[in-house]
Amino acid sequence: MDNAAKEKIKAIVGNKNFTDSQEDRICYSYDGTAVLHHLPEAIVFPETDEQISKIMKLANEAPFNVVPRGAGTGLSGGSIPVENSLVVVMTRWNRILEIDTKNLTVTVEPGVTTANLQSEVEKYGLFYPPDPGSLTVCTIGGNVANNSGGLRGLKYGVTKNYVLGTELILPNGDLLKTGGKNVKDVAGYNLKDFIVGSEGTIGIITKILLKLIPLPTESITLLAYFDKLTDSAQAVSDIISAHIVPCMMEFLDNTTINCVEDYTHIGLPKNSEAILLIEVDGKGSAVQEDAETVKNIMKKNRASFIRVAASISEANILKTARRSAFSALARKRPTTILEDATVPRSELPAMIEKVTEAARKFDVTFGDFGHAGDGNLHPTCLTDERDKNELDRAHKAFDFIFNEAIKLGGTITGEHGTGLAKKHFLEMVAGIPGVEMMKKIKSAIDENNILNPGKIFTISPKCEGSLPFKREQIKDFHL
Amino acid sequence: MSEKINLLVLQKILPNDDILSQCIHCGMCLATCPTYELTKLERSSPRGRIRLINALAKSEIELTDTFVYEMNFCLDCQACETACPAGVKYGSMVEAAREVISESEYGASFSNKFKKFLLRNILASQPKLKFVSKLLFIYQSFGIKKFLHSIGFFKLLSPKLGEVDKLSPEVSKTFSSNIFQERIKPKGEIKYKIAFLTGCLMDVMFAEINKDTVDVLTLCNCEVINPKNQVCCGSLHAHNGDIETAIKLAKKNVDEFGKFDYDFLVSNSAGCGAFMKEYGHVLQNDFNYSEKAKLFSEKVKDITEFLSDILPEITFHNVEGSFTYHDACHLAHTQKVTNQPRKVLNSIPGIELNNLEESTWCCGSAGIYNIVHYDDSMKMLERKMENIRKTNSSTVLTGNPGCISQIKYGAKKFNVNVEVFHPVTIIKRALLNSNKK
Ligand SMILES: Cc1cc2nc3c(=O)[nH]c(=O)nc-3n(C[C@H](O)[C@H](O)[C@H](O)COP(=O)(O)OP(=O)(O)OC[C@H]3O[C@@H](n4cnc5c(N)ncnc54)[C@H](O)[C@@H]3O)c2cc1C
Ligand code: SF4
Ligand code: SF4
């Protein structure tokens, strides 16, 4: 990016919303993803749709790349800058525009944090369920772009189940509006759902319309301790086949339990091989009945102890502790590479076995935790990026885990997105026709490939002949 | 120049790379950082600052205006340490960065020099502090202040200086260390021997709170030992990059308190207590002091922490009123003391203790932050005062002198009708009533 381009950008957003200082470039060179980072050329904090539109047009001319960014908690490198790029930070777009209590919807700007949105709508007795572990920090824009899940996904689904519409600026500068307040709408292709999970490669989202549901009145939260890992996995399967749908069913292995306890000091059982954090919610006596059934299933699977939260505040403490799991694992080793392999729920016990096998085979340490009810685990490799040899073994272990997950009918990422970190594995899941269709769509919308290029997959215009589809080929082409 | 600094960073700040590598840049600390909340800029967040310190240490950047600004803009409230699940020791990193700044050419700037002079020469020496405070006292009580205000002297100097002057706490009529004997015995049998840090600012600005603390302790059957030659704990020096003086003061206190035999060392100032608990760490590499300092630190307790431990032995009498409790940063985040004060206050019959939203959010006082960063500090204070207003309480209790004067100032500035006390003042009331009975 040359000075002329920078001057033009400044003219668009104003001097105060532009920076290219070395300090700021360093501070926007990373997100929550381990190991990966890259310096952007400059950073802007746009204030209006028009400014974003002008930036997109300029990016096509200048040219430079545009990388949208929320709070930078992403775990697949979605908002990490690429070569010759301008980072567009959306955190200051943090207003809640309308809470519609008649249609049960909320309209927000993309920079509102998930926790803030939830507490505001709860004042009206309404509920926005998706709750990523990072909810106090991450933005709704990031959630929509990554189709984020959370602890309550088991019963309530993920972000896509709540997006009713979006407004976004396309790479050519046009404003696209998708969806609306209608409960039913089948006019044309379903563009609204296509935007969800597009990881900032299709447009910069500037407004989001979300569906709300009534706030459940009762909930019971409990924690079951297990001496054997396999018993906990079996208990999860038994609950699902008993046709009970808890709103959350979270799994923590022994390594994770120890790290979380060292941080929170809330009396977690440091000797247990696993714990399950389960919450049932709803209305009236059904909640109590479900909780009893859950307890019986836990006992049948040899849970050594069942702790029932005595109050809402105790339940919150337990959930907050679970949310800290990923970061708490960094107490053991400085680099924590977290993965997101997901399998059909019935295969969960097999998957947990495979992670243990990977650790043994490649001589690395894993902490394992995650959304057991969804079959979505986060095996996290505890390593040190300064030790290249170990890092290499860690990557091999992940190759193994991904392959095994796919053999079990699973996928490489359940909720964190493909981004930079997992694009080499995309073809394994989506297949060649799938990846090819994605690339064609992207090229049609973003002719010059200026918006978050190199994320999800690589489009390489310089390539002669057929595009690289094989994993090995793609590796050589990434930015 | 830059080479020298980076060497300095590496030697002094990063004895090993581990502290810096521990941050996994997950961002979980962002939501609790008051400066990030103000600017929404990554570089005013804990995660950004850690990355910048890292970059300085690895020579990716030089010491620049922006770097210096961000390190000083940080409140050192350590809310991010509480929030960080990975256990990153942010506080020691930023304090180290400040040390590098103060030894560089940036340290030579006027305001930094003035700060250094103040810290080294006045606070560190009890007689000088008393002398200056006496002058201040004369100035405050003989209407000179009023006169200067009336002719707009402060406004003339700088529009903000006038406000800053109002922020500095009123000096007490007598200094507590002048009234206290070295040993103060309770009326009845001695159950505990408690050493007491009178503290530099506490002594001259908040002598009443010191008196209340001593009274509370003696009413609870403690002998209070008040070493005559004790000095300022050194926390303000350490937070502002003057580790050298801080270490000198720490050693002196270890020596002076070491002359007495006591069960616990009690502090009524969150900042002092926090730093004295760190002596063991600060002096860990000192051959002569490491053991003694470790023992010293293990015995340090905040007054509310101590009272909460001996609660079953205390009887309280009725104290009417609606109260709320603000968590001082160095009590909540540095010492992790949040339940104990509430437990003690809640056991006083008649007290209605209202929940304060964002009670662990910094009030903006932060040592001398409210003087150096007046405007930012006021934004934080306004947020605090709004939360206090919402509790509908008539009294705010908080365990740190800086917070007390800041919130008192906020009550006036933002028109919130509350009184502000240290918890011991109320605890004393509750004890005295019961003793009468
Ligand atoms: C401790 C921790 C726990 C987590 N737990 C979960 C979890 O339980 N479930 C889960 O699903 N994820 C989880 N995550 C991952 C992450 O928080 C989510 O992916 C989140 O949605 C990212 O939001 P963000 O605002 O930080 O976005 P960023 O990381 O800044 O960006 C994410 C992606 O969105 C794009 N983007 C951001 N804003 C816009 C916009 N306005 N328009 C277009 N594109 C945009 C970016 O380009 C990027 O591709 C966790 C992360 C951490 C660090
Ligand atoms: S300091 Fe802790 S919470 Fe903050 S980004 Fe680093 S690891 Fe995460
Ligand atoms: S100490 Fe306080 S102000 Fe400084 S980075 Fe941490 S939370 Fe922010």
Side-chain angles (χ1 to χ4, degrees):
Chain A
M1 190 184 295
D2 54 16
N3 277 337
K6 286 183 186 172
E7 286 309 317
K8 285 182 192 159
I9 298 172
K10 273 189 218 168
I12 295 172
V13 295
N15 278 346
K16 69 176 200 305
N17 293 324
F18 173 94
T19 166
D20 64 349
S21 76
Q22 187 66 6
E23 292 85 354
D24 285 315
R25 291 173 65 206
I26 290 174
C27 285
Y28 289 98
S29 65
Y30 52 80
D31 65 0
T33 316
V35 188
L36 304 174
H37 52 90
H38 191 101
L39 286 185
E41 295 296 311
I43 302 102
V44 288
F45 306 88
E47 287 175 339
T48 61
D49 281 5
E50 292 74 45
Q51 289 180 355
I52 298 176
S53 168
K54 283 184 184 159
I55 287 171
M56 293 282 205
K57 285 182 184 146
L58 182 65
N60 284 288
E61 287 163 21
F64 54 82
N65 294 315
V66 174
V67 178
R69 182 184 164 106
T73 65
L75 295 173
S76 58
S79 57
I80 296 179
V82 294
E83 255 165 50
N84 187 30
S85 64
L86 175 75
V87 172
V88 177
V89 185
M90 297 302 285
T91 45
R92 289 181 183 166
W93 292 56
N94 59 358
R95 286 178 308 163
I96 295 178
L97 301 171
E98 182 203 51
I99 298 176
D100 181 344
T101 52
K102 288 202 178 108
N103 286 305
L104 306 194
T105 64
V106 59
T107 312
V108 294
E109 293 183 335
V112 175
T113 63
T114 315
N116 188 14
L117 168 76
Q118 285 171 344
S119 64
E120 285 306 310
V121 301
E122 277 168 25
K123 289 181 186 161
Y124 297 84
L126 294 169
F127 189 34
Y128 176 74
D131 59 340
S134 50
L135 84 175
T136 53
V137 187
C138 65
T139 66
I140 294 291
N143 292 172
V144 173
N146 275 356
N147 188 11
S148 299
L151 273 57
R152 294 191 281 239
L154 177 56
K155 178 171 178 183
Y156 293 105
V158 297
T159 306
K160 73 167 178 213
N161 302 103
Y162 297 87
V163 178
L164 289 176
T166 49
E167 283 186 24
L168 62 160
I169 312 291
L170 298 174
N172 65 1
D174 286 352
L175 172 73
L176 172 72
K177 296 186 183 186
T178 71
K181 285 187 185 175
N182 299 307
V183 177
K184 299 169 92 176
D185 182 359
V186 292
Y189 283 162
N190 188 349
L191 292 182
K192 161 191 84 123
D193 283 356
F194 164 62
I195 300 306
V196 182
S198 60
E199 300 191 26
T201 63
I202 298 299
I204 296 189
I205 303 168
T206 55
K207 205 190 261 186
I208 301 161
L209 176 68
L210 296 165
K211 177 173 100 174
L212 302 171
I213 59 176
L215 193 62
T217 48
E218 257 116 318
S219 64
I220 295 174
T221 310
L222 53 91
L223 201 59
Y225 306 177
F226 292 89
D227 294 336
K228 281 215 155 24
L229 199 67
T230 39
D231 288 344
S232 68
Q234 193 53 46
V236 172
S237 300
D238 287 0
I239 287 183
I240 308 234
S241 34
H243 295 192
I244 293 180
V245 189
C247 78
M248 81 179 54
M249 187 147 55
E250 297 287 312
F251 163 88
L252 280 79
D253 76 351
N254 177 271
T255 308
T256 316
I257 295 171
N258 276 278
C259 289
V260 172
E261 176 58 18
D262 286 345
Y263 168 54
T264 55
H265 307 292
I266 54 171
L268 297 179
K270 286 186 145 187
N271 295 323
S272 294
E273 270 196 9
I275 52 177
L276 289 176
L277 171 67
I278 301 178
E279 185 169 281
V280 287
D281 71 353
K283 254 189 189 157
S285 61
V287 180
Q288 194 62 45
E289 282 163 27
D290 280 357
E292 282 312 313
T293 319
V294 168
K295 274 192 233 166
N296 287 334
I297 294 174
M298 295 296 130
K299 280 183 201 146
K300 205 189 93 207
N301 283 292
R302 290 171 292 279
S304 60
F305 185 73
I306 298 172
R307 170 173 167 186
V308 181
S311 61
I312 294 182
S313 69
E314 189 184 344
N316 283 336
I317 287 171
L318 294 176
K319 285 183 262 184
T320 307
R322 155 60 189 91
R323 290 194 181 104
S324 72
F326 163 54
S327 315
L329 281 169
R331 290 177 167 262
K332 281 244 153 83
R333 300 292 302 280
T335 309
T336 45
I337 310 180
L338 161 144
E339 281 309 338
D340 191 26
T342 304
V343 291
R345 321 185 240 215
S346 55
E347 302 296 345
L348 190 77
M351 194 63 228
I352 291 176
E353 276 296 304
K354 289 294 170 194
V355 173
T356 321
E357 193 184 327
R360 237 191 354 255
K361 213 166 157 171
F362 298 96
D363 187 25
V364 284
T365 315
F366 276 101
D368 203 359
F369 66 95
H371 317 301
D374 297 335
N376 181 192
L377 287 191
H378 296 314
T380 303
C381 188
L382 311 182
T383 175
D384 188 335
E385 60 184 302
R386 293 167 293 187
D387 182 344
K388 295 297 165 220
N389 186 297
E390 189 181 323
L391 200 61
D392 199 46
R393 276 182 280 130
H395 285 302
K396 289 201 175 111
F398 279 124
D399 276 1
F400 174 81
I401 291 174
F402 288 144
N403 272 304
E404 292 302 322
I406 287 171
K407 276 191 215 156
L408 293 168
T411 176
I412 52 169
T413 169
E415 56 179 13
H416 295 160
T418 314
L420 284 175
K422 264 157 291 189
K423 64 178 184 174
H424 305 312
F425 303 99
L426 180 63
E427 187 203 315
M428 290 163 69
V429 195
I432 292 177
V435 178
E436 194 173 352
M437 185 189 270
M438 292 182 205
K439 287 182 182 176
K440 280 185 185 152
I441 296 173
K442 166 78 172 160
S443 304
I445 297 170
D446 185 6
E447 261 177 79
N448 297 321
N449 200 23
I450 54 124
L451 187 60
N452 222 359
K455 306 293 170 71
I456 312 180
F457 42 71
T458 307
I459 294 179
S460 181
K462 285 159 238 116
C463 164
E464 301 265 311
S466 61
L467 287 171
F469 287 128
K470 288 257 172 322
R471 223 179 91 215
E472 301 71 40
Q473 286 176 297
I474 292 173
K475 254 187 199 157
D476 298 335
F477 278 96
H478 77 100
L479 274 167
Chain B
M1 173 84 208
S2 89
E3 207 168 89
K4 200 177 112 210
I5 285 174
N6 291 321
L7 231 114
L8 232 152
V9 182
L10 288 169
Q11 284 169 354
K12 288 204 168 166
I13 298 162
L14 314 165
N16 53 60
D17 194 17
D18 283 350
I19 290 195
L20 278 187
S21 311
Q22 207 185 359
C23 170
I24 55 163
H25 41 94
C26 65
M28 292 295 271
C29 50
L30 264 60
T32 54
C33 175
T35 56
Y36 176 72
E37 182 68 20
L38 276 185
T39 65
K40 294 276 181 205
L41 284 177
E42 188 72 27
R43 66 167 142 93
S44 340
S45 80
R47 179 171 66 168
R49 290 190 180 110
I50 291 168
R51 193 64 166 216
L52 288 177
I53 296 173
N54 213 336
L56 183 72
K58 297 194 173 138
S59 296
E60 289 164 23
I61 52 167
E62 312 238 313
L63 207 52
T64 58
D65 290 355
T66 311
F67 182 90
V68 173
Y69 178 81
E70 285 304 339
M71 294 307 137
N72 289 333
F73 182 35
C74 167
L75 293 151
D76 202 5
C77 68
Q78 305 188 0
C80 49
E81 275 198 28
T82 304
C84 174
V88 171
K89 296 266 169 276
Y90 171 83
S92 56
M93 277 190 233
V94 77
E95 280 158 25
R98 287 178 181 179
E99 193 186 352
V100 173
I101 293 169
S102 101
E103 290 183 9
S104 74
E105 59 199 12
Y106 280 95
S109 75
F110 175 73
S111 70
N112 241 317
K113 265 195 189 147
F114 180 67
K115 226 156 88 178
K116 230 190 251 173
F117 169 78
L118 211 85
L119 289 169
R120 284 220 170 143
N121 295 303
I122 312 279
L123 282 191
S125 136
Q126 201 66 359
K128 272 194 208 158
L129 181 62
K130 280 186 189 167
F131 174 72
V132 172
S133 307
K134 269 202 185 111
L135 284 183
L136 253 171
F137 176 66
I138 295 168
Y139 147 88
Q140 282 180 345
S141 50
F142 290 95
I144 303 173
K145 183 175 174 179
K146 238 194 192 149
F147 170 70
L148 289 178
H149 269 294
S150 71
I151 63 165
F153 174 75
F154 292 102
K155 294 221 172 73
L156 229 124
L157 263 178
S158 138
K160 276 165 208 161
L161 220 84
E163 289 300 305
V164 167
D165 173 66
K166 282 189 225 149
L167 260 177
S168 51
E170 304 260 326
V171 174
S172 310
K173 288 194 196 71
T174 41
F175 306 131
S176 52
S177 57
N178 288 356
I179 352 170
F180 297 148
Q181 305 290 317
E182 203 159 35
R183 281 172 181 275
I184 307 162
K185 297 216 185 311
K187 286 221 178 79
E189 171 204 356
I190 297 174
K191 278 199 182 157
Y192 302 95
K193 288 183 186 164
I194 300 297
F196 178 56
L197 181 94
T198 42
C200 52
L201 287 175
M202 277 315 247
D203 182 27
V204 300
M205 310 275 191
F206 297 92
E208 287 76 14
I209 299 176
N210 270 355
K211 187 163 182 311
D212 290 345
T213 311
V214 170
D215 288 348
V216 163
L217 286 169
T218 47
L219 285 167
C220 293
N221 301 317
C222 302
E223 178 187 356
V224 181
I225 302 161
N226 177 39
K228 233 195 329 235
N229 295 325
Q230 58 169 294
V231 290
C232 161
C233 70
S235 77
L236 278 175
H237 306 80
H239 296 318
N240 288 290
D242 188 359
I243 303 277
E244 208 182 298
T245 313
I247 285 181
K248 258 188 224 153
L249 293 168
K251 285 185 182 169
K252 174 80 174 157
N253 274 337
V254 171
D255 288 340
E256 291 304 326
F257 282 89
K259 292 178 186 161
F260 298 85
D261 166 40
Y262 59 85
D263 301 314
F264 300 107
L265 196 171
V266 160
S267 157
N268 57 10
S269 153
C272 308
F275 192 61
M276 289 193 296
K277 285 181 180 177
E278 284 284 300
Y279 277 11
H281 180 73
V282 173
L283 294 172
Q284 67 181 354
N285 295 324
D286 189 300
F287 182 76
N288 290 324
Y289 279 89
S290 61
E291 265 312 297
K292 282 190 271 179
K294 194 167 153 257
L295 288 177
F296 176 97
S297 286
E298 280 166 3
K299 286 188 178 178
V300 176
K301 275 182 194 240
D302 184 71
I303 177 76
T304 56
E305 215 179 348
F306 172 67
L307 292 176
S308 154
D309 288 347
I310 61 160
L311 207 51
E313 305 165 31
I314 312 178
T315 5
F316 287 125
H317 198 267
N318 215 49
V319 175
E320 292 295 328
S322 69
F323 295 82
T324 193
Y325 179 78
H326 158 71
D327 287 281
C329 294
H330 285 113
L331 207 48
H333 300 306
T334 321
Q335 301 187 52
K336 313 285 178 226
V337 173
T338 52
N339 291 333
Q340 296 91 327
R342 292 180 168 86
K343 189 169 144 201
V344 175
L345 291 168
N346 271 323
S347 63
I348 299 176
I351 278 198
E352 178 198 324
L353 196 63
N354 303 314
N355 184 41
L356 176 65
E357 250 180 68
E358 300 185 331
S359 65
T360 57
W361 194 264
C362 182
C363 66
S365 158
I368 43 182
Y369 190 91
N370 51 1
I371 298 176
V372 194
H373 285 266
Y374 179 79
D375 288 339
D376 297 321
S377 163
M378 286 307 118
K379 285 184 199 143
M380 289 159 201
L381 181 57
E382 186 171 10
R383 183 169 174 145
K384 179 59 66 185
M385 296 318 297
E386 272 321 302
N387 281 323
I388 289 176
R389 194 198 302 277
K390 277 192 250 161
T391 66
N392 281 325
S393 308
S394 54
T395 311
V396 185
L397 301 176
T398 184
N400 195 50
C403 307
I404 295 177
S405 37
Q406 174 89 343
I407 295 176
K408 270 189 185 164
Y409 177 78
K412 257 192 241 157
K413 184 172 170 84
F414 301 105
N415 243 323
V416 184
N417 190 14
V418 282
E419 288 188 292
V420 192
F421 291 118
H422 191 288
V424 286
T425 307
I426 302 304
I427 294 169
K428 178 172 152 185
R429 259 185 231 167
L431 283 168
L432 276 181
N433 287 345
S434 75
N435 270 23
K436 266 187 228 148
K437 207 171 92 179

